[in-house]
C-alpha cells in the first residue's frame, strides 16, 4: 500500500480549488463610503484601468469596512495610481490611496509600535484600514478591530502607592500632652475642654395676691385672661370699640414654637392716666370669647428674659 496521503475531497466529490495569490502590486484605498462597491472602486481607478488585476472591498459581515485593495500589474502603475487618485473624492468622501505594505513589513511596524508603548498600558483599538497583504488575500485569518490586552509583566505588577509625608508641626501648635510617667496622653485629654455655661437660676413665681415690685405706669394697662386666639389687632379693637384711645397693643407670646402661641395676656398703651381709668371702668370683667377679662394698671418691672429688656406686670387696683 502507498503511504501517500489521500487528496481532500469536497461534498460533491471534486477536489477543492486552491486560491492563488493575486499577482502584481497592491494599492490600499481607505476612507471609502459604506455605499461604495467594488465596481465603483474599479471605475475610480480609471487612470490605471489597463493594469488592474483585481479589486477587493474588505467586508465586515455584509457591510463594507470602509477600505479595500486594488492589485496592479506593475510598481509604476501603483505609483501612478497614488499620484493621480490620492485625496480625490469618491461617493462624497476623500479617498486615501497609497501603496500597500507587505505583510512582513506591517508585522515589523506593529512590533515596533508595541515596544514604544508605555509599560502597563492596556490594549488599544487598532487603526482602521491596517491589514496585512496576507489577510487581504485570504491566506491569514482576519483579526478583530480591537487588539487583545497586553500580558507583559509590567501590566501585571501592582501600582506603587506614594507614602504621605509626615505632617510637620506648626510653630503655634501646642506641645503634645504627656502623663506623669512620660507616655503620651490620649488626644482627648491634650486640649482643655470648654466649661459648660452655668444655667441662670429660675426666678421664683410671685405669691398670689402680692403686688409686683416696680413703678406703676401712667399709660400702660395689663390685660389678662384673654383667649389664645386673640392677636394684637383683636386686643386693640377691644379698646377702640369701647371708645378708648389706643397707642399700641401687644399680646405676649411664648419664646418657642412656630408660630409662637399666645400666653393669654397682653399690654395696651392708652396714652394717659385718664384713659387708663376710663378703660378699667369700661372693660373690667368684660366677656371676650367666653372669658371675663381683667384690666389693671401695668407696673414697669425689669426682667431678664426674651420678652424684652423691660417687661410690665400688673398692679392690683
Amino acid at each position: 500500500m502507498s503511504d501517500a496521503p489521500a487528496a481532500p475531497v469536497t461534498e460533491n466529490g471534486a477536489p477543492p480549488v486552491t486560491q492563488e495569490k493575486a499577482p502584481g502590486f497592491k494599492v490600499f484605498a481607505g476612507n471609502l463610503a459604506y455605499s461604495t462597491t467594488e465596481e465603483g472602486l474599479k471605475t475610480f481607478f480609471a487612470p490605471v484601468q489597463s493594469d488592474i488585476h483585481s479589486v477587493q472591498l474588505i467586508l465586515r459581515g455584509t457591510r463594507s469596512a470602509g477600505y479595500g485593495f486594488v492589485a496592479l500589474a506593475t510598481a509604476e502603475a501603483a505609483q501612478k495610481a497614488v499620484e493621480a487618485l490620492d485625496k480625490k473624492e469618491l461617493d462624497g468622501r476623500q479617498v486615501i490611496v497609497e501603496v500597500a505594505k507587505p505583510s512582513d513589513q506591517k508585522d515589523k511596524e506593529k512590533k515596533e509600535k508595541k515596544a514604544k508603548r508605555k509599560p502597563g498600558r492596556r490594549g488599544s483599538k487598532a487603526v482602521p484600514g491596517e491589514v496585512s497583504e496576507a489577510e487581504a488575500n485570504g491566506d491569514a485569518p482576519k483579526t478583530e478591530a480591537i487588539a487583545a490586552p497586553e500580558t507583559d509583566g509590567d501590566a501585571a505588577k501592582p501600582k506603587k502607592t506614594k507614602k504621605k509625608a509626615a505632617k510637620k508641626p506648626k510653630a503655634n501648635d501646642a506641645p503634645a500632652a504627656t502623663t506623669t510617667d512620660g507616655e503620651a496622653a490620649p488626644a482627648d485629654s491634650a486640649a482643655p475642654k470648654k466649661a459648660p455655661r452655668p444655667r441662670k437660676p429660675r426666678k421664683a413665681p410671685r405669691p398670689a395676691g402680692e403686688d409686683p415690685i416696680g413703678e406703676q405706669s401712667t399709660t400702660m394697662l395689663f390685660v389678662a385672661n384673654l383667649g389664645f386666639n386673640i392677636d394684637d389687632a383683636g386686643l386693640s379693637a377691644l379698646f377702640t370699640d369701647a371708645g378708648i384711645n389706643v397707642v399700641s397693643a401687644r399680646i405676649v407670646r411664648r419664646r418657642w414654637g412656630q408660630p409662637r402661641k399666645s400666653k393669654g395676656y397682653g399690654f395696651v398703651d392708652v396714652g394717659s392716666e385718664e384713659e387708663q381709668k376710663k378703660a378699667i371702668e369700661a372693660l373690667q370683667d368684660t366677656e371676650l370669647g367666653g372669658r371675663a377679662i381683667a384690666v389693671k394698671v401695668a407696673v414697669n418691672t425689669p426682667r431678664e428674659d426674651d420678652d424684652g429688656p423691660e417687661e410690665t406686670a400688673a398692679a392690683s387696683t
Side-chain angles (χ1 to χ4, degrees):
M1 294 179 64
S2 174
D3 295 334
V9 180
T10 60
E11 293 180 1
N12 57 7
V17 178
T18 57
Q19 183 179 6
E20 296 182 0
K21 190 174 181 179
F25 297 85
K26 289 268 186 159
V27 174
F28 168 79
N31 197 35
L32 299 175
Y34 295 123
S35 60
T36 301
T37 61
E38 290 185 349
E39 287 297 326
L41 183 59
K42 185 176 181 180
T43 304
F44 180 68
F45 275 78
V48 289
Q49 187 76 31
S50 59
D51 294 309
I52 294 178
H53 278 300
S54 64
V55 177
Q56 182 185 18
L57 190 65
I58 303 301
L59 302 177
R60 285 181 180 162
T62 58
R63 186 181 179 184
S64 169
Y67 62 93
F69 294 90
V70 178
L72 300 175
T74 62
E76 291 78 8
Q79 190 62 36
K80 180 181 178 182
V82 172
E83 295 175 356
L85 301 175
D86 187 34
K87 305 298 183 183
K88 297 295 183 181
E89 189 171 308
L90 173 62
D91 294 335
R93 303 192 71 171
Q94 283 189 347
V95 181
I96 299 172
V97 180
E98 58 186 26
V99 178
K101 298 176 182 179
S103 58
D104 54 350
Q105 184 178 350
K106 292 288 293 182
D107 294 340
K108 183 179 178 181
E109 290 180 357
K110 284 184 179 180
K111 289 180 181 180
E112 291 177 354
K113 287 182 179 179
K114 186 176 179 180
K116 291 179 180 179
R117 289 176 181 171
K118 295 180 179 180
R121 180 182 173 186
R122 301 291 183 183
S124 57
K125 293 183 179 180
V127 179
E130 287 191 358
V131 294
S132 63
E133 187 175 357
E135 292 174 346
N137 294 329
D139 296 339
K142 185 182 296 184
T143 58
E144 296 293 335
I146 301 177
E150 297 178 13
T151 56
D152 53 359
D154 292 336
K157 291 180 181 179
K159 294 182 179 180
K160 294 182 179 180
T161 56
K162 294 182 179 180
K163 294 182 179 180
K164 293 184 178 180
K167 186 178 179 181
K168 294 182 179 180
K170 295 182 180 179
N172 56 353
D173 287 349
T178 57
T179 58
T180 54
D181 55 359
E183 295 182 358
D188 294 341
S189 62
K193 292 184 179 179
K194 189 176 181 180
R197 178 183 291 181
R199 291 185 178 182
K200 294 180 180 180
R202 297 186 64 180
K203 188 174 182 179
R206 186 174 74 249
E210 182 180 328
D211 292 339
I213 300 173
E215 182 182 356
Q216 288 191 358
S217 174
T218 58
T219 62
M220 193 74 68
L221 289 172
F222 171 77
V223 186
N225 202 31
L226 295 170
F228 296 110
N229 60 339
I230 303 299
D231 57 7
D232 295 351
L235 180 60
S236 177
L238 173 66
F239 281 75
T240 55
D241 290 347
I244 309 300
N245 176 53
V246 176
V247 177
S248 66
R250 176 174 67 93
I251 294 292
V252 178
R253 299 184 179 275
R254 299 185 184 277
R255 287 181 283 181
W256 311 112
Q258 189 64 31
R260 294 169 63 185
K261 295 182 179 179
S262 167
K263 286 187 176 183
Y265 62 91
F267 297 91
V268 180
D269 186 353
V270 294
S272 66
E273 292 185 26
E274 290 76 10
E275 290 293 316
Q276 278 183 322
K277 295 176 182 179
K278 181 181 176 181
I280 292 173
E281 292 175 358
L283 298 173
Q284 184 69 281
D285 297 327
T286 300
E287 284 197 6
L288 179 64
R291 293 171 176 244
I293 64 172
V295 183
K296 300 179 181 181
V297 176
V299 175
N300 297 327
T301 304
R303 297 184 62 179
E304 297 178 355
D305 56 18
D306 291 343
D307 287 333
E310 185 176 88
E311 180 178 311
T312 56
S316 62
T317 56

